[in-house]
């Protein structure tokens, strides 16, 4: 141990400021006689000794930091010393603390006398346990002495013992303590199997000897066979058995992030322990106070208990947290998990009536209690006369503009309780829970009938939101207080949000229980207001109005009520029908659909190698090889992955075409080079051999063209003139439509040019035809334009032939509609016209563009939105107008039973029929619904007639 202080010797605490610290540290090193550097550097970065001192002391001191593995490296990373050589920088930082701060910390922090500088600052920083280091127990590093030129005395006590290692090469040896030369390995003995039979005959003498193993023979020992020597490495390897796997037990490690409460508690205990050691912690504070040391219930239970406690402060705290919980954790906060929470919130919201009336509502859950006051609501069956009770209450004097602080505080807490109910009712589980509680319906009726005050608008909106979620789970008749209250909101409210939510709530009554919603006792003022809202440009409000009318018109008595009001001039339904017809195309999206009206006709193909036109051959033969053969191949062949041609046929055709044009300057390509050039010209073509009795040598990937192309890839025009009695067309190729026309009139019509003027000599041809009684006709692809007699004027035939030829002029698009050659019709077999009557280049598929205007649809492709709801309202009216005429309300009609000369169906739906047919034509999504509506209108119109 380091020496303890002697007598009155005192060791003061280290200074608190950096300047005082450095001054004290400098004085300490001067007294100790050691070197001191105020600004040491590690990796060219200055080290703040004051910060390093506080950091190491806070971590428990030099000994504790050195005892923890890699902690100095972590501290070095915090000082940004570098990542390339982190270990060296960490040791340099450790050395800095060791030389300048270690002895100072022992004296100022640990209150002990530091070891002498000979065994501290003057030695390396390796090792630790500085607090217990003394001259007697410290042993200097001998390797450092050797490096400084010192000589060891050879004693074993000053040397670091080395770990004995196994000598695997020396059988029978268990290890060696010094390193030496490796011994030569043992001579390997070849395996000699026992070839004698191990099966003994039946009658064998007792003195017969069994085969002896090799190791029992003279000259062999077990030590010479490594596999049988227990001290040999081969024996260990061959008999090695892996250790059985041990299942790893994982347990969570508490960290300040994963368990902040435990970390905070642990830090407090350590702090208290330090205070207790120095005597600064009183005995009283070390005793656990009542209620401390336990986490207690979670926030959900605490808010429930605080809400039901009846203490105003606790209730306010609970409502504050419930608003946050219901908003942030509404998806997991359920009423059924916290019994009494819904009841407590309902009771809190009911307290709002005490601010305006001299009443305090109470919920009675005793079914046998009788003769209770009007302030008691039936918590089991509900209170059907709650509106009458509200009417009996006396309204207190309430502030209009300026209110007291207590009034605002109470009202805000009531609103918060209603907001919690509203947030939690948005989840289906909570809505089902509230729907089974009769007091919630009384609560909504009471809140919706509170006085009309601006500061109650928020509270009423929350009540309407709750009603929207719950009415679809209830069966409500026309006498229900909530039903009457919702109709009152629609009829009297000037707030769009309140009217919209009330319409949705009343239109969804019984929706989830599949119960019909009759919507009876609707006042004329309410119907008139909803009709007016339908004309607005407000998608949400119009959608709510259409939902209301869809439910309202599903009852024949309500339709009769509308007809009576229209007949008496109270309302006009014609604008509504016009609006419904317009809404059928609401937000229609223009879409273009391409529909094929004629299939594609593929270009003609052939297996015969065509003859290149003479003009093309004259151009090709002037090219040198191998470009000449490539040009010839590109003109007469095309790529086709499914086709092939024999190599001999291709080579013979090449020879036949170019042998007359070969010369010593431009000889033909050898056969092998020509076949290689085919693959060069067409990258997808390759030479193949088809195995068989007679192997076929082919080139896969090309085929002969039906029509040659010129050097620029343009197709030649083939003459399709078929002379009478001929079995095939002319087949001559011409480069342009003009040249093929000249070919027809000269070769097939016999027209010539005048030798003087070089003009076409029609007169001579006409005179010869007249003398010989000759007629002219068009024989292009079996054209029947001049059939059967033809004409004597060749000019007419020549002009007609141009209609068969492609128009390549700039006005071709304008004049194309006058061409007589149309796309050929398909034969019953699905192919085009016979050969020589079809365009050899084929025809592309023909399409027509159809413009659609589709309205909204859902993910299944079904209609949705305002357009679909409008069609449903019209269909409901069409179905129930005839039924309405049979009700008792129809007797009030002053006109004829059929609504005039044309009848009610014609009067209401007649102006709409053109619109319906248009929608069914252009709207694919809504077409089935609209066509169904048209059938209903037609059927009911015929019944009225």
């Amino acid at each position: 141990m380091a020496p303890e202080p002697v007598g009155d010797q005192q060791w003061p605490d280290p200074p608190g400021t950096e300047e005082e610290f450095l001054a004290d540290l400098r004085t300490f090193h001067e007294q100790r006689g050691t070197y001191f550097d105020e600004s040491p550097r590690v990796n060219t970065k200055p080290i703040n000794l004051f910060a390093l001192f506080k950091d190491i002391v806070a971590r428990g001191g030099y000994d504790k930091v050195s005892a923890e593995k890699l902690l100095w490296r972590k501290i070095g990373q915090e000082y940004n010393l570098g990542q390339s050589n982190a270990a060296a920088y960490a040791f340099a930082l450790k050395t800095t603390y060791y030389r300048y701060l270690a002895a100072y910390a022992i004296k100022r922090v640990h209150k002990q006398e530091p070891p002498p500088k000979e065994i501290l600052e003057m030695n390396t920083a390796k090792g630790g346990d500085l607090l217990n280091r003394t001259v007697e127990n410290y042993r200097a590093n001998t390797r450092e002495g050797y490096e400084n030129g010192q000589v060891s005395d050879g004693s074993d006590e000053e040397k670091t013992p080395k770990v004995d290692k196994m000598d695997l090469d020396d059988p029978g040896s268990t290890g060696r303590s010094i390193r030496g030369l490796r011994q030569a390995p043992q001579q390997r003995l070849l395996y000699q199997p026992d070839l004698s039979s191990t099966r003994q005959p039946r009658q064998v003498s007792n003195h017969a000897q069994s085969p002896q193993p090799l190791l029992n023979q003279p000259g062999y020992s077990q030590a010479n066979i490594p596999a049988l020597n227990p001290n040999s490495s081969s024996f260990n390897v061959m008999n090695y058995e892996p250790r059985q796997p041990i299942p790893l037990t994982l347990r969570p490690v508490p960290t300040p992030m994963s368990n902040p409460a435990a970390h905070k508690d642990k830090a407090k205990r350590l702090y208290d322990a330090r205070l207790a050691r120095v005597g600064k912690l009183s005995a009283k504070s070390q005793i656990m106070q009542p209620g401390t040391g336990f986490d207690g219930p979670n926030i959900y239970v605490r808010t429930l208990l605080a809400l039901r406690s009846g203490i105003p402060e606790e209730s306010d705290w609970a409502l504050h947290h419930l608003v946050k919980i219901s908003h942030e954790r509404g998806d997991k906060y359920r009423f059924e998990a916290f019994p009494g929470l819904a009841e407590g919130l309902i009771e809190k919201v009911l307290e709002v009536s005490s601010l305006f009336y001299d009443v305090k509502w109470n919920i009675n859950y005793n079914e046998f209690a009788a003769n209770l006051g009007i302030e008691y609501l039936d918590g089991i069956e509900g209170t059907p006369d709650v509106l009458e009770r509200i009417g009996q209450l006396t309204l207190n004097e309430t502030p209009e503009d300026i209110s007291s602080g207590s009034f605002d505080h109470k009202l805000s807490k009531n609103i918060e309780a209603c907001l919690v109910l509203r947030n939690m009712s948005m989840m289906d589980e909570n809505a089902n829970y509230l729907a089974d509680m009769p007091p919630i319906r009384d609560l909504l009726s009471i809140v919706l009938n509170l006085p009309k005050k601006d500061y109650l608008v928020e509270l009423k909106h929350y009540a309407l939101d709750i009603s929207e979620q719950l009415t679809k789970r209830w069966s409500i008749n026309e006498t229900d207080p909530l039903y009457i209250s919702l109709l009152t909101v629609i009829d009297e409210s000037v707030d769009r949000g309140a009217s919209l939510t009330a319409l949705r709530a009343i239109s969804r009554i019984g929706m989830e229980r599949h119960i019909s919603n009759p919507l009876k006792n609707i006042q004329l003022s309410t119907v008139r207001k909803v009709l007016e809202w339908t004309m607005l440009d407000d998608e949400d409000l119009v959608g709510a109005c259409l939902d209301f009318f869809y439910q309202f018109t599903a009852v024949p008595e309500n339709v009769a009520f509308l007809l009576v009001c229209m007949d008496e001039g109270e309302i006009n339904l014609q604008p509504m029908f016009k609006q419904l017809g317009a809404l059928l195309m609401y937000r229609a999206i223009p879409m273009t659909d391409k529909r094929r009206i004629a299939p594609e006709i593929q270009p003609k193909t052939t297996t015969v190698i065509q003859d290149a036109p003479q003009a093309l051959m004259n151009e090709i033969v002037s090219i040198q090889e191998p470009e000449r053969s490539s040009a010839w191949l590109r003109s007469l062949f095309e790529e086709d992955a499914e086709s092939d041609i024999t190599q001999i046929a291709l080579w013979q055709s090449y020879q036949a075409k170019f042998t007359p044009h070969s010369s010593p300057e431009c000889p033909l390509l050898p056969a092998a080079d020509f076949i290689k050039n085919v693959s060069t010209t067409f990258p997808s073509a390759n030479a193949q051999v088809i195995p068989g009795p007679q192997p076929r040598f082919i080139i896969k990937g090309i085929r002969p063209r039906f029509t040659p192309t010129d050097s620029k890839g343009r197709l030649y025009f083939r003459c399709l003139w078929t002379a009478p009695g001929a079995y095939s067309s002319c087949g001559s190729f011409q480069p342009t439509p003009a040249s093929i026309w000249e070919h027809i009139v000269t070769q097939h019509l016999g027209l010539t040019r005048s030798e003087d003027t070089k003009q076409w000599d029609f007169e001579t041809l006409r005179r010869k035809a007249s003398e010989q009684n000759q007629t002219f006709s068009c024989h292009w692809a079996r054209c029947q334009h001049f059939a059967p007699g033809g004409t004597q004027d060749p000019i007419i035939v020549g002009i007609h032939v141009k209609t068969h030829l492609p128009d390549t002029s700039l006005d071709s698009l304008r004049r194309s509609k006058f061409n007589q050659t149309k796309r050929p019709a398909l034969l019953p077999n699905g192919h085009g016209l016979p050969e020589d009557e079809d365009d050899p280049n084929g025809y592309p598929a023909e399409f027509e563009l159809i413009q659609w205007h589709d309205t909204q649809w859902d993910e299944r492709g079904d209609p949705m939105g305002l357009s679909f709801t409008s069609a449903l309202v019209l269909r409901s009216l069409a179905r129930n107008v005839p039924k309405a005429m049979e009700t008792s309300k129809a007797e009030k009609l002053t006109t004829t039973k059929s609504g005039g000369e044309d009848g009610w169906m014609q009067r209401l739906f007649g102006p709409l029929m053109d619109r319906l047919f248009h929608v069914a034509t252009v709207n694919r999504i809504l077409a089935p619904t609209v066509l169904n509506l048209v059938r209903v209108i037609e059927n009911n119109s015929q019944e009225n007639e």
Side-chain angles (χ1 to χ4, degrees):
M1 295 291 292
E4 296 292 333
V6 179
D8 297 334
Q9 185 179 2
Q10 299 293 330
W11 289 302
D13 295 333
T17 63
E18 185 174 358
E19 293 78 11
E20 297 176 353
F21 172 83
L22 292 176
D24 187 41
L25 183 60
R26 188 183 306 107
T27 303
F28 174 82
H29 279 283
E30 291 176 356
Q31 296 175 357
R32 187 171 173 83
T34 54
Y35 173 78
F36 173 66
D37 185 5
E38 292 187 3
S39 58
R41 291 178 176 271
V42 174
N43 191 21
T44 70
K45 295 183 179 180
I47 303 299
N48 190 330
L49 294 178
F50 182 66
L52 181 62
F53 177 82
K54 293 198 302 181
D55 191 5
I56 300 302
V57 171
R59 297 176 186 264
Y62 178 89
D63 292 342
K64 187 173 182 180
V65 173
S66 300
E68 185 172 349
K69 189 175 182 179
L70 300 179
L71 185 54
W72 279 106
R73 185 178 299 185
K74 180 180 178 182
I75 297 174
Q77 294 176 356
E78 294 176 357
Y79 280 78
N80 298 323
L81 299 180
Q83 298 292 337
S84 60
N85 197 4
Y89 298 148
F91 185 78
L93 182 65
K94 178 182 179 182
T95 302
T96 301
Y97 185 92
Y98 180 86
R99 290 181 178 177
Y100 304 128
L101 298 174
Y104 181 81
I106 293 174
K107 189 170 185 178
R108 291 290 188 263
V109 178
H110 301 286
K111 310 302 182 183
Q112 297 180 15
E113 186 66 23
K117 61 182 180 180
E118 289 78 8
I119 62 175
L120 189 60
E121 287 91 347
M122 297 178 66
N123 284 280
T124 179
K126 292 183 179 180
D129 198 14
L130 300 184
L131 294 177
N132 298 322
R133 180 179 296 185
T134 62
V135 178
E136 292 77 16
N137 64 11
Y138 178 74
R139 186 184 302 272
N141 193 347
T142 57
R143 180 178 298 181
E144 181 179 357
Y146 300 155
E147 293 174 354
N148 294 332
Q150 300 176 4
V151 180
S152 173
D153 58 358
S155 63
D156 295 336
E157 295 180 357
E158 294 184 0
K159 296 181 180 179
T160 303
K162 297 184 178 296
V163 179
D164 294 342
K165 297 184 179 180
M166 294 293 297
D167 186 6
L168 301 180
D169 299 321
D170 186 9
S173 176
T174 59
R176 58 186 179 180
S177 59
I178 58 175
R179 298 182 61 88
L181 297 177
R182 295 177 59 88
Q183 299 179 3
Q186 294 287 339
Q187 183 178 2
R188 300 185 63 181
L189 299 178
L190 298 179
Y191 173 70
Q192 299 180 5
D194 185 11
L195 302 180
S196 62
S197 175
T198 58
R199 184 172 180 176
Q200 300 293 338
R202 276 192 159 186
Q203 295 178 356
V204 63
S205 59
N206 294 331
H207 62 273
Q209 297 181 354
S210 60
Q212 299 294 326
L214 185 63
L215 57 87
N216 292 333
Q217 298 180 8
Y220 290 90
S221 65
Q222 184 176 353
N224 294 330
I225 304 178
L228 300 179
N229 185 5
N231 296 324
S232 173
S233 60
S234 300
F235 179 84
N236 295 333
V237 171
M238 295 182 61
N239 293 275
Y240 170 75
E241 293 184 2
R243 182 181 299 176
Q244 294 296 329
I246 301 175
L248 181 61
T249 303
L250 301 178
R251 61 182 181 85
V253 178
T255 63
M257 180 63 69
S258 64
N259 195 349
H263 181 74
K264 183 178 180 181
D265 184 63
K266 179 180 179 182
K268 186 177 183 305
R269 291 198 306 269
L270 294 176
Y271 179 74
D272 292 342
R274 289 196 297 269
L275 292 179
R277 285 197 298 268
V278 298
K280 295 183 179 181
L281 185 65
S282 61
K284 181 178 180 181
S285 60
Q286 301 182 36
I287 301 176
M288 181 180 295
Q289 299 296 327
T292 61
F294 302 97
D295 293 337
N298 56 37
I299 186 65
Y300 306 113
V301 178
R302 292 175 61 189
T303 52
L304 173 61
L305 298 177
L307 179 66
R308 301 307 300 270
S309 65
I311 303 174
E313 292 78 6
E314 292 290 330
S315 179
D316 296 348
W317 177 86
L319 290 173
H320 171 75
H321 287 279
L322 283 173
V323 170
K324 296 178 61 177
I325 293 173
S326 62
H327 174 68
E328 299 173 357
R329 306 289 293 175
D331 57 334
K332 297 183 179 179
Y333 200 43
R334 295 177 175 84
F335 282 125
E336 61 182 9
F338 303 95
L341 177 60
E343 291 82 353
L345 292 172
I346 293 174
E347 294 173 0
K348 187 64 179 179
V349 179
L350 286 175
E351 294 179 3
V352 72
S353 297
S354 303
L355 301 176
F356 303 95
Y357 301 102
D358 189 14
V359 65
K360 182 179 180 181
W361 298 109
N362 295 299
I363 302 177
N364 176 35
Y365 294 99
N366 186 4
E367 60 180 340
F368 301 105
N371 299 326
L372 300 176
I374 63 173
E375 69 275 8
Y376 286 92
L377 303 176
D378 190 351
I380 299 178
E381 299 294 337
T383 310
D385 60 341
V386 65
L387 296 182
E388 289 77 4
R389 297 188 183 189
I390 295 175
Q392 299 176 16
L393 300 177
T394 302
L395 186 62
N396 298 334
E397 293 184 2
T398 54
E400 294 294 339
D401 298 327
I402 302 176
S403 58
S404 62
S406 61
F407 180 89
D408 290 341
H409 178 74
K410 293 179 182 179
L411 180 61
S412 65
K413 295 306 172 183
N414 299 141
I415 294 176
E416 287 181 0
C418 194
L419 175 59
V420 175
L421 284 173
R422 181 258 179 198
N423 291 343
M424 298 187 66
S425 65
M426 295 299 166
M427 190 167 63
D428 290 339
E429 291 85 348
N430 291 334
N432 293 330
Y433 186 90
L434 289 176
D436 295 335
M437 299 180 63
I440 190 67
R441 193 181 300 187
D442 298 335
L443 169 67
L444 298 175
S445 301
I446 292 172
V447 173
L448 294 178
N449 287 276
L450 288 173
K452 297 180 180 179
K453 303 291 183 180
D454 293 341
Y455 44 76
L456 291 177
V457 172
E458 183 180 1
L459 180 64
K460 291 184 179 181
H461 271 282
Y462 294 154
L464 289 172
D465 289 341
I466 298 172
S467 302
E468 182 183 354
Q469 298 299 321
L470 300 185
T471 52
K472 55 187 177 183
R473 295 171 170 83
W474 287 333
S475 175
I476 302 177
N477 55 29
E478 65 275 11
T479 61
D480 191 276
L482 181 58
Y483 179 82
I484 299 174
S485 301
L486 292 173
L487 290 178
T488 303
V489 172
I490 297 174
D491 195 26
E492 299 179 359
S493 177
V494 294
D495 187 346
R496 173 190 175 275
S499 303
L500 175 61
T501 311
L503 278 172
R504 289 174 175 172
I506 205 169
S507 302
R508 299 178 182 181
I509 294 176
M511 180 185 298
E512 291 194 354
R513 295 191 177 185
H514 304 286
I515 301 174
S516 60
N517 183 13
L519 292 184
K520 297 181 179 180
N521 293 342
I522 304 295
Q523 300 299 320
L524 177 61
S525 59
T526 304
V527 175
R528 185 184 292 112
K529 181 171 287 190
V530 177
L531 281 175
E532 294 173 354
W533 290 342
T534 309
M535 307 299 168
L536 299 177
D537 186 14
D538 189 333
E539 182 176 358
D540 294 334
L541 187 58
V542 172
C545 294
L546 293 180
D547 291 339
F548 174 83
F549 274 120
Y550 178 70
Q551 298 289 340
F552 183 75
T553 57
V555 181
E557 288 79 5
N558 294 339
V559 178
F561 171 74
L562 293 177
L563 298 180
V564 171
C565 294
M566 181 178 178
D567 191 59
E568 295 177 353
E570 298 290 343
I571 57 175
N572 186 8
L573 296 179
Q574 294 296 340
M576 185 190 75
F577 274 80
K578 185 177 180 180
Q579 176 71 358
L580 292 177
L583 291 175
L584 291 176
M585 296 296 293
Y586 182 77
R587 286 195 175 183
I589 303 174
M591 304 182 68
T592 302
D593 187 18
K594 182 188 292 186
R595 184 169 61 183
R596 190 175 68 174
I597 58 177
E600 178 185 7
I601 296 180
Q602 296 292 337
K604 285 188 175 181
T605 60
T606 181
T607 57
V608 179
I609 301 176
Q610 303 290 340
D611 292 332
Q614 187 60 40
L616 179 62
M617 283 299 301
N618 294 337
E619 181 181 354
I620 293 176
V621 296
S622 61
I623 306 174
Q624 296 294 326
E625 293 290 355
E627 287 78 10
R628 181 176 65 179
S629 59
S630 297
W632 178 74
L633 289 170
R634 281 191 293 267
S635 298
L636 299 182
F637 297 88
E638 60 184 350
E639 290 182 297
D640 185 3
E642 303 298 329
S643 302
D644 60 76
I645 186 172
T646 60
Q647 298 181 16
I648 188 62
L650 188 62
W651 168 249
Q652 290 176 353
S653 177
Y654 169 73
Q655 280 186 320
K657 293 295 182 183
F658 292 99
T659 297
H661 305 284
S662 63
S663 63
E665 294 79 11
C666 185
L668 296 179
L669 287 176
D673 295 343
F674 175 75
I675 297 302
K676 292 180 180 179
N677 193 39
V678 174
S679 299
T680 304
T681 306
F682 301 104
S684 61
N686 56 84
Q688 297 181 4
V689 178
I690 306 299
Q694 295 182 351
R696 295 179 62 244
F697 296 86
I698 64 171
I699 296 180
K700 183 74 173 179
I702 62 172
R703 68 180 181 188
R705 289 181 181 271
F706 187 80
T707 304
T709 62
D710 60 8
S711 58
K712 296 183 179 180
R714 296 173 296 190
L715 288 172
Y716 275 83
F717 296 93
R718 185 177 185 178
C719 179
L720 300 180
W721 192 276
T722 306
Y727 293 98
S728 61
S729 62
C730 170
S732 175
F733 295 105
Q734 300 296 331
T736 62
S739 60
I740 198 170
W741 182 84
E742 185 174 351
H743 164 76
I744 292 173
V745 297
T746 56
Q747 301 297 326
H748 301 298
L749 294 181
L751 186 63
T752 59
R753 292 181 181 271
S754 174
E755 296 181 357
D756 299 332
T757 62
K758 301 300 181 181
Q759 300 293 327
W760 294 109
D761 191 358
F762 289 101
E763 295 299 331
T764 302
L765 182 60
R766 190 180 293 113
R767 185 174 58 253
K768 290 182 180 180
S770 177
E771 293 175 356
Q772 300 176 6
N773 196 18
Q774 179 184 0
T775 60
F776 299 93
S777 183
C778 178
H779 299 288
W780 181 275
R782 301 180 187 178
C783 176
Q784 303 295 323
H785 181 70
F786 297 99
T791 180
Q792 294 183 347
D793 192 352
I795 299 179
I796 298 176
V797 178
I799 296 174
H800 164 74
V801 167
K802 291 186 177 180
T803 63
H804 293 294
L805 303 179
D807 191 355
T808 58
S809 64
L810 298 178
D811 295 335
S812 60
L813 184 63
R814 179 178 59 83
R815 296 194 298 237
S816 61
K817 59 182 179 180
F818 301 106
N819 292 345
Q820 294 187 15
T821 301
K822 304 295 182 182
R823 178 188 177 92
L826 293 180
L827 297 178
N829 58 4
H831 299 285
L833 295 177
E835 186 179 3
D836 295 337
E837 294 188 10
D838 201 357
D839 190 342
N841 299 326
Y843 294 91
E846 295 184 5
F847 299 88
E848 65 175 353
L849 299 179
I850 302 177
Q851 190 76 15
W852 302 99
H853 292 79
D854 294 337
T855 50
Q856 293 176 303
W857 64 90
D858 58 13
E859 63 277 1
R860 297 178 299 178
D862 298 332
M864 59 175 292
L866 293 184
S867 57
F868 182 58
T869 312
S870 301
L872 295 180
V873 173
L874 289 173
R875 189 180 65 180
S876 180
L877 287 168
R879 288 176 176 176
N880 292 306
V881 165
K883 298 178 182 178
M885 307 306 300
E886 301 175 0
T887 61
S888 57
K889 292 184 179 181
E891 298 176 358
K892 298 180 181 181
L893 295 175
T894 57
T895 59
T896 60
K897 183 177 180 181
S898 60
E901 296 180 357
D902 298 331
W904 278 107
M905 293 297 296
Q906 181 63 28
R907 182 179 176 182
L908 296 175
F909 293 96
L912 199 62
M913 295 304 294
D914 291 341
R915 177 68 175 177
L916 296 179
F917 284 116
H918 171 73
V919 173
T921 304
V922 301
N923 192 338
R924 294 174 296 179
I925 301 299
L926 208 59
T929 306
V930 174
L931 292 177
N932 185 20
L933 169 61
V934 171
R935 285 193 292 268
V936 173
I937 294 174
E938 293 177 350
N939 294 336
N940 290 340
S941 299
Q942 294 175 1
E943 292 179 1
N944 288 339
E945 294 177 359

